[in-house]
Amino acid sequence: SRTEDKTYSGIDFTKEPLPPGQYEHCTFTRCTFTRADLSARSFSECTFINCELSMARVVRTSIRECAFTDCKLLGVSFDHGQTSLFSATFADCIMDACSFQGMALQRTKFTGCRMHGTDFTRADLSGVAFDRCDLSDAVFANCDLQRTDFRTAQGFTIDPQPNKMKGGRFSVEGLPGLLAKHGIRIEH
C-alpha cells in the first residue's frame, strides 16, 4: 500500500505498528519507534522530527531522500536496509552506535550530530561533510574519505593508513585524531 503526504504526530508505533508499505512525502513528528520493526518498508522524501527511533529494525528498509531532525537513533543498523538507494540528511540527531558498514554515503549530510561509536567500516564517505559532529569512538576503517570534510567535527580518531584520504579536509584542532595511532602528542 502507498501512503502519500500524510502527517503523523505523537504516535507510539511500539503499541500500534506502522503498517507495511510505501511512505512518500510523509511527516512524522514526536513519534516513537523504539525497537519498532520497520523492515521491508519504503520511506521516500519523508521527514522525521523529534522522533525516537532507537534500536529500530530496518532490514530491507528503503530510506530515500529522507530528513531526520532532532531525532534519537541509537543503535540503528542502516547497513541492514536497502543500501543502494540510501540518501538522508541528519541534523542535530543522537546517533550513537549506529552502523553504516559498507554503505555509499556520498549523498548523506550530517550536521550537529552525536555519533559516538558509530561504525563506518568500508563506507564510501567521499565528499561528505561532518558539520559540527561529535565522532568520539566512531570507527573509520577501509573507508573512502577523499574530500571528506572533518574541519568542524570533533572527537574522531582516524588511522590514515587503511583509508583513502586524498583531499580530506581537517582543521588544525583535528590533527591529534589523525596522529593518535603513532603516539604523537600535539600541544598548543
Side-chain angles (χ1 to χ4, degrees), residues 93-104:
C93 292
I94 297 174
M95 305 177 67
D96 299 353
C98 284
S99 181
F100 292 97
Q101 284 192 42
M103 290 178 66

Side-chain angles (χ1 to χ4, degrees), residues 2 9 11 17 22 24 33-34 50 65-66 73 91 96-97 99 102 110 121 129 145 174 180-181:
R2 174 182 274 176
S9 190
I11 298 172
Q22 296 176 298
E24 296 177 14
F33 296 93
T34 308
N50 206 354
E65 291 181 46
C66 290
L73 299 127
D96 299 353
S99 181
F110 299 100
T121 302
L145 300 174
K181 169 194 164 194

Side-chain angles (χ1 to χ4, degrees), residues 143-162:
C143 293
D144 187 339
L145 300 174
Q146 297 181 88
R147 299 175 325 283
T148 305
D149 191 342
F150 289 96
R151 288 177 300 171
T152 60
Q154 61 185 41
F156 59 84
T157 304
I158 300 170
D159 179 357
Q161 203 69 41

Side-chain angles (χ1 to χ4, degrees), residues 2 9-10 12 18 22-23 27 29 37 47 55 76 103 123 132 136 138-139 142 152 158-159 161 176:
R2 174 182 274 176
S9 190
D12 185 346
L18 184 69
Q22 296 176 298
Y23 294 85
T27 302
T29 307
D37 191 351
T47 304
M55 305 302 288
V76 177
M103 290 178 66
R132 301 184 330 277
S136 301
V139 179
N142 302 106
T152 60
I158 300 170
D159 179 357
Q161 203 69 41

